[in-house]
């Protein structure tokens, strides 16, 4: 029997290119070559034996009326679906060992740290340091423009990353009122106490949201039901700011705090000079909608040092927060998982290698299998900003990642109250990586029939449509670093809807029911529980010659649309569907 090491002597024709970029992605530049002895951390995703069976099982668990609805999997039951074959594990481990690398195996993931020189030989590539030239504050990343593996290994794996992944998650926040700070909290003039009058058509406080969506239900403080939010890019929610916010706008929740779980070396730096607006927005409005449900913040590290050097304590390749964060969550015991998670980060879908996007989406599906509802901000660029295809430079509308993943619930933004309308920045559209799932087929096809061939060359009509739902997202009062701030964006909308889902899970738990888990089949089966938004539009693409005079726009219309999805919450109807008999009081 030939040893796998003998395969390394084969010709280049026996290697399979797993991914290759035609050029350095837009907005990036090479800083320098990677030194041979610098370290890089890499992960190999092994093919799962029962991937299709898992997808069907999660759909069954999540589809109302199915005999398995609500029968979520345990961690061990899920592993039986995601486990690779013994042959796959052996082939990859032997391949690495024959390059002098000793990997760590965790079910369908193989992780290892090695030198750049070994990684270059292993993957037939050339690693270098790259930096995003559009934002000088972003740290450089060690990346390659292509990589290949032997054919006999390639058939057992989905990807090796981080290699060709250049994207960087960004907080989804509109720049219309980006961190507008009128004055210090101690002398607030714009803000008013929560029990006083406020123009909710212009500014948003907790009472505005609860009144608009008719949220009166307050659950018991049951620690078995938790809601969480994810923080990346060195953002940390601040305890002092939360206390000031409670005193000013949410006295009913005064004294409730949040718990921080540190992932991948993440911190809880209450005196950080870094921006904290996103994290404060998340915790303050999750609390506004869901109190007294316990709140978790996952603080996940994931940015390399500004000037990479040899001998770093943290391998410079370990700067992909989704992988670290999702692996951490999926490794938790069942009783430690939150039932609802809000995430206000995202990036342009085409900036993410397809196999990476698919694998991360699969990990969100696994959370759904275990009864977790994951909600993502849909993005803040309407149909897109630059709207340029990275394959041929043609005009192409920007879909968003992970909002375009069908296993998460994407949340768009509205503004105004008489009536609510879609905001110009609310991102939506159609995924370039994921086909439209059956549970949204009728809703999305109805919209496509309305617009006919409008914009037909610029998007994939067969792609997964997003967002799924929407909520207010304009001019939220937030306390940040002792200041009053006005924040806008789908970053604000996501925690609002997540807080409402957390309330529904609490009501279900009070009846002995399981949590809602993966939401989307349930949402699309009950469109009347959402206020259909028929005014407004998401606009963008003004950099493209086709749209210099008139911006590209997705319009809000009757039924589902790629601005506000199914619409905004009708809490009494949602509560009656999720937990019949629980009063909205």
């Amino acid at each position: 029997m030939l040893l796998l090491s003998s395969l390394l002597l084969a010709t280049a024709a026996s290697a399979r290119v797993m991914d290759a970029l035609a050029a350095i992605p837009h907005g990036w530049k090479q800083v320098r070559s990677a030194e041979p002895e610098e370290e890089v951390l890499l992960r190999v995703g092994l093919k799962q034996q029962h991937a299709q069976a898992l997808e069907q099982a999660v759909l069954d668990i999540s589809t109302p009326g199915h005999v398995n609805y609500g029968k979520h999997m345990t961690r061990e039951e899920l592993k039986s679906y995601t486990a690779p074959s013994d042959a796959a594990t052996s082939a990859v481990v032997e391949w690495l060992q024959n390059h002098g690398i000793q990997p760590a195996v965790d079910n369908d993931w193989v992780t290892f740290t090695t030198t750049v020189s070994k990684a270059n030989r292993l993957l037939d590539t050339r690693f270098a340091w790259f930096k995003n030239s559009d934002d000088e504050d972003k740290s450089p990343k060690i990346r390659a423009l292509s990589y290949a593996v032997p054919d006999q290994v390639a058939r057992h794996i989905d990807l090796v990353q981080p290699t060709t992944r250049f994207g960087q998650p960004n907080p989804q926040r509109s720049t219309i009122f980006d961190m507008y700070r009128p004055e210090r909290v101690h002398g607030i003039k714009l803000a008013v106490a929560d029990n006083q009058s406020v123009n909710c058509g212009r500014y948003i406080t907790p009472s505005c949201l609860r009144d608009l969506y008719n949220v009166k239900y307050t659950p018991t403080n049951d620690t078995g039901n938790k809601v969480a939010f994810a923080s990346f890019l060195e953002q940390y929610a601040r305890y002092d700011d939360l206390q000031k916010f409670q005193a000013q706008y949410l006295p009913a929740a005064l004294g409730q705090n949040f718990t921080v779980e540190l992932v991948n070396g993440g911190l809880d730096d209450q005196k950080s000079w870094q921006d904290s607006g996103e994290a404060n927005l998340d915790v303050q409005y999750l609390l506004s909608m869901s109190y007294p449900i316990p709140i978790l913040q996952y603080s996940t590290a994931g940015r390399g040092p500004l000037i990479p050097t040899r001998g770093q304590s943290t391998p410079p390749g370990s700067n992909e927060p989704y992988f670290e964060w999702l692996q951490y969550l999926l490794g938790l015991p069942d009783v430690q998982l939150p039932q609802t998670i809000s995430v206000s980060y995202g990036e342009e879908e085409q900036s993410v290698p397809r196999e990476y996007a698919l694998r991360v989406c699969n990990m969100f599906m696994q959370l759904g299998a275990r009864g977790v509802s994951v909600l993502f901000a849909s993005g803040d660029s309407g149909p897109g900003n630059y709207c340029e295809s990275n394959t041929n430079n043609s005009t192409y509308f920007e879909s968003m990642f992970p909002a375009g993943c069908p296993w998460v619930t994407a949340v768009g933004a509205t503004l105004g109250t008489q009536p609510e309308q879609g905001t110009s920045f609310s991102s939506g559209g159609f995924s370039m990586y994921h086909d439209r799932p059956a549970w949204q087929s009728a809703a999305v096809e109805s919209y496509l029939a309305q617009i006919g061939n409008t914009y037909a060359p610029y998007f994939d009509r067969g792609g997964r449509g997003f967002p799924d739902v929407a909520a207010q997202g304009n001019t939220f009062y937030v306390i940040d670093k002792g200041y009053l701030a006005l924040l806008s964006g789908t970053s604000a909308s996501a925690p609002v809807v997540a807080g409402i889902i957390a309330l529904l899970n609490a009501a279900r738990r009070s009846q002995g029911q399981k949590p809602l888990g993966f939401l989307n089949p349930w949402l699309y089966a009950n469109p009347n529980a959402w206020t259909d938004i028929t005014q407004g539009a998401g606009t963008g693409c003004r950099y493209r010659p086709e749209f210099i005079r008139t911006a590209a726009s997705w319009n809000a219309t009757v039924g589902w649309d790629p601005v506000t999805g199914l619409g905004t919450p009708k809490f009494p109807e949602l509560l009656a569907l999720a937990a019949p008999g629980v009063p909205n009081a």
Side-chain angles (χ1 to χ4, degrees), residues 291-446:
Y291 70 85
I293 297 170
I295 297 176
L296 298 174
Q297 174 187 343
Y298 293 111
S299 177
T300 304
R303 293 178 70 161
L306 183 62
I307 304 176
T309 60
R310 298 181 187 179
Q312 302 169 76
S313 59
T314 300
S318 59
N319 52 3
E320 298 305 320
Y322 288 132
F323 269 150
E324 279 81 358
W325 176 59
L326 288 167
Q327 285 186 309
Y328 173 83
L329 286 176
L330 291 169
L332 289 174
D334 299 321
V335 296
Q336 293 183 23
L337 274 176
Q339 288 68 45
T340 313
I341 302 176
S342 177
V343 191
S344 290
Y345 291 76
E347 59 200 281
E348 190 180 348
E349 194 173 45
Q350 69 172 348
S351 73
V352 182
R354 184 177 184 275
E355 77 276 5
Y356 176 93
L358 296 179
R359 191 61 186 248
V360 168
C361 190
N362 176 276
M363 297 172 84
F364 286 122
M365 177 179 65
Q366 293 177 48
L367 284 175
R370 293 180 65 186
V372 180
S373 302
V374 183
L375 297 98
F376 264 87
S378 72
D380 295 344
S381 57
N385 283 322
Y386 290 98
C387 299
E388 180 177 285
S389 170
N390 61 6
T391 57
N392 59 13
N393 299 324
S394 63
T395 298
Y396 200 80
F397 290 172
E398 297 170 7
S399 50
M400 295 295 291
F401 170 82
C405 167
W407 300 103
V408 306
T409 299
V411 184
T414 61
L415 79 167
T417 57
Q418 296 181 344
E420 283 187 273
Q421 59 184 7
T423 64
S424 61
F425 59 76
S426 184
S427 284
F430 302 86
S431 172
M432 62 188 297
Y433 292 151
H434 304 282
D435 293 336
R436 182 162 59 251
W439 39 259
Q440 71 166 188
S441 182
V444 174
E445 287 174 4
S446 176

Side-chain angles (χ1 to χ4, degrees), residues 492-505:
S493 310
V496 171
V497 177
I500 286 174
I501 299 302
L503 290 179
L504 300 181
N505 279 330

Side-chain angles (χ1 to χ4, degrees), residues 7-72:
L7 299 173
L8 303 175
L9 301 177
T11 65
S14 67
R16 183 185 306 176
V17 176
M18 299 293 290
D19 192 30
L21 306 179
I24 298 173
H26 175 79
W28 291 83
K29 61 182 179 182
Q30 182 172 331
V31 178
R32 64 172 175 85
S33 297
E35 297 293 333
E37 296 307 313
E38 287 184 302
E39 289 186 327
V40 59
L41 182 147
L42 296 169
R43 289 178 173 81
V44 181
L46 302 177
K47 288 189 180 297
Q48 300 167 356
Q49 288 190 86
H50 308 295
Q52 291 185 335
L54 174 60
E55 181 172 332
Q56 186 59 54
V58 179
L59 285 174
D60 294 345
I61 289 169
S62 309
T63 301
H66 194 279
V67 65
N68 290 332
Y69 181 64
K71 296 180 180 179
H72 303 120

Side-chain angles (χ1 to χ4, degrees), residues 259-270:
T259 301
V260 180
E261 292 192 18
L262 307 180
V263 183
N264 191 45
L267 302 175
D268 181 20
D269 186 353
Q270 293 295 300

Side-chain angles (χ1 to χ4, degrees), residues 25-257:
H26 175 79
W28 291 83
K29 61 182 179 182
Q30 182 172 331
V31 178
R32 64 172 175 85
S33 297
E35 297 293 333
E37 296 307 313
E38 287 184 302
E39 289 186 327
V40 59
L41 182 147
L42 296 169
R43 289 178 173 81
V44 181
L46 302 177
K47 288 189 180 297
Q48 300 167 356
Q49 288 190 86
H50 308 295
Q52 291 185 335
L54 174 60
E55 181 172 332
Q56 186 59 54
V58 179
L59 285 174
D60 294 345
I61 289 169
S62 309
T63 301
H66 194 279
V67 65
N68 290 332
Y69 181 64
K71 296 180 180 179
H72 303 120
M73 299 181 189
T74 65
R75 180 177 61 177
E76 297 310 311
E77 287 172 340
L78 178 61
K79 281 187 174 182
S80 69
Y81 281 93
T82 61
S85 66
D86 291 340
T89 303
S90 297
V92 171
V93 168
E94 188 176 0
W95 170 56
L96 295 173
Q97 288 176 339
N98 279 293
H99 280 83
I101 298 169
Q102 190 59 46
V105 180
D106 182 10
N107 199 40
D108 55 331
W109 288 100
V110 177
T111 305
F112 62 95
T113 299
T114 189
T115 63
V116 165
S117 61
K118 285 186 178 181
N120 284 342
R121 292 193 299 271
L122 181 77
L123 300 174
D124 190 21
T125 191
R126 184 67 60 187
F127 279 97
W129 288 97
F130 297 87
K131 190 175 178 64
N132 190 312
S133 56
D134 290 343
D135 187 344
E136 292 303 319
D137 291 334
K138 287 184 178 175
S139 302
K141 295 183 174 185
I142 190 167
R143 291 293 185 270
L145 298 183
S146 67
Y147 72 98
V149 302
D151 282 336
Q152 290 83 349
V153 173
R155 62 191 180 94
H156 292 301
I157 71 174
D158 288 330
L159 78 170
V160 181
Q161 289 290 349
T163 47
T164 53
R165 166 150 161 71
F166 279 78
Q168 175 70 52
N170 292 299
Q172 293 304 315
R173 186 188 308 141
S174 168
T175 57
I176 297 174
F177 292 99
D178 190 14
M179 293 303 293
Y180 172 56
R181 306 169 187 270
E183 51 197 310
R184 284 190 176 276
V185 168
H186 302 296
I188 289 177
K189 293 180 181 177
L190 281 179
V192 294
D194 198 46
N195 59 354
Q196 296 176 348
S197 175
V198 64
N199 182 357
C200 294
R202 185 175 180 185
Y203 303 113
I204 296 297
T205 65
S207 62
C208 290
L209 293 168
R210 285 183 159 257
D211 289 345
L212 179 61
Y213 299 134
N214 197 10
V215 179
K216 299 177 182 178
Y217 171 65
T218 302
T220 59
N221 188 5
D222 180 357
T223 58
N225 180 46
K226 300 183 288 291
V227 62
F229 65 101
S231 289
F232 304 118
L233 309 181
E234 296 87 51
Q235 286 233 5
Y236 316 108
R238 296 175 183 264
Y239 308 121
D240 288 347
D241 288 337
L242 181 61
Q243 292 174 8
K244 291 182 175 69
F245 181 83
Q246 291 167 328
Q248 183 69 24
Y249 302 113
L250 199 60
L254 196 62
Q256 182 175 343
N257 213 328

